[in-house]
Amino acid sequence: MSGYCDFARGHPLHGPYHDHEYGVPQRAEAVLFERLLLEINQAGLSWETMLRKREGFRRAYDGFDVEKVAAYGAADRARLLADPGIVRNRLKIGAAIHNAGVILRMRDSHGGFAAWLDAHHPLDKAGWVKLFKRTFRFTGGEITGSFLVSLGYLPGAHRPDCPAHQRLLATQVPPWMAAAG
């Protein structure tokens, strides 16, 4: 997705995301859940729509707290379906609630979502897609790939000469690069 490096520059929404988040490894459960939820909701829409609605998602999904979201019931589903600040899609809302429960269980099985990702790294994209489809709801090839690129588990977030990529490498090595040696 090296074209994003050129497109995002100077854009009020894409620019800050590209420069400070895209391709940057994350460990915090709420951040990982947020990114997964946004990638799932982006299906059929633009990433700019997700960035515009990001705060609405944060409010609607209790700051991406997986314990709270996993416990959502019928009233919460109805509230989310009526919330114009998010993408109001029954399947995507159901996937968010289901996936929060999956992530919650990862605490027991692996120590958390980040540890689960690390336990399966490195995989190629096809391996990741197979694993995500088996584990989560609403995660096909594009969603899984975008999620993993955005967190540095797969290459492609930045061109090698991108200033954001150079800043990232000055402080850490993305998992895909560490696996490549």
Side-chain angles (χ1 to χ4, degrees):
M1 186 174 219
S2 61
Y4 194 51
C5 297
D6 296 322
F7 171 77
R9 187 176 312 164
H11 190 278
L13 294 171
H14 289 289
Y17 175 75
H18 168 271
D19 291 350
H20 304 290
E21 295 180 69
Y22 192 56
V24 177
Q26 300 292 327
R27 306 295 302 167
E29 184 177 76
V31 174
L32 295 172
F33 181 49
E34 172 190 17
R35 195 73 55 86
L36 181 62
L37 192 146
L38 292 177
E39 291 291 353
I40 287 170
N41 278 276
Q42 188 269 329
L45 302 169
S46 71
W47 188 245
E48 186 170 335
T49 298
M50 294 304 95
L51 293 174
R52 288 189 189 286
K53 290 184 173 276
R54 193 175 195 182
E55 288 306 314
F57 277 103
R58 184 170 283 120
R59 282 188 302 277
Y61 285 95
D62 287 299
F64 305 107
D65 182 316
V66 295
E67 289 180 21
K68 290 180 180 179
V69 176
Y72 282 1
D76 293 297
R77 286 176 191 264
R79 172 183 59 81
L80 292 168
L81 284 169
D83 188 337
I86 65 168
V87 174
R88 296 174 287 180
N89 177 296
R90 188 176 308 279
L91 293 176
K92 292 176 181 182
I93 290 168
I97 296 166
H98 171 82
N99 293 343
V102 169
I103 293 168
L104 195 58
R105 290 187 296 278
M106 287 176 181
R107 291 178 184 174
D108 293 331
S109 67
H110 289 83
F113 193 8
W116 180 84
L117 290 166
D118 292 344
H120 294 93
H121 183 68
L123 289 173
D124 63 5
K125 183 179 175 183
W128 280 115
V129 170
K130 191 175 187 179
L131 176 65
F132 268 64
K133 281 185 172 185
R134 198 172 56 234
T135 307
F136 296 105
R137 285 193 186 152
F138 217 101
T139 52
E142 195 66 33
I143 291 167
T144 300
S146 294
F147 172 75
L148 294 165
V149 167
S150 79
L151 295 166
Y153 281 92
L154 288 175
H158 301 284
R159 287 189 327 263
D161 65 339
C162 174
H165 181 67
Q166 297 303 317
R167 281 192 304 275
L168 171 63
L169 293 182
T171 60
Q172 57 187 309
V173 177
W176 72 267
M177 190 175 274

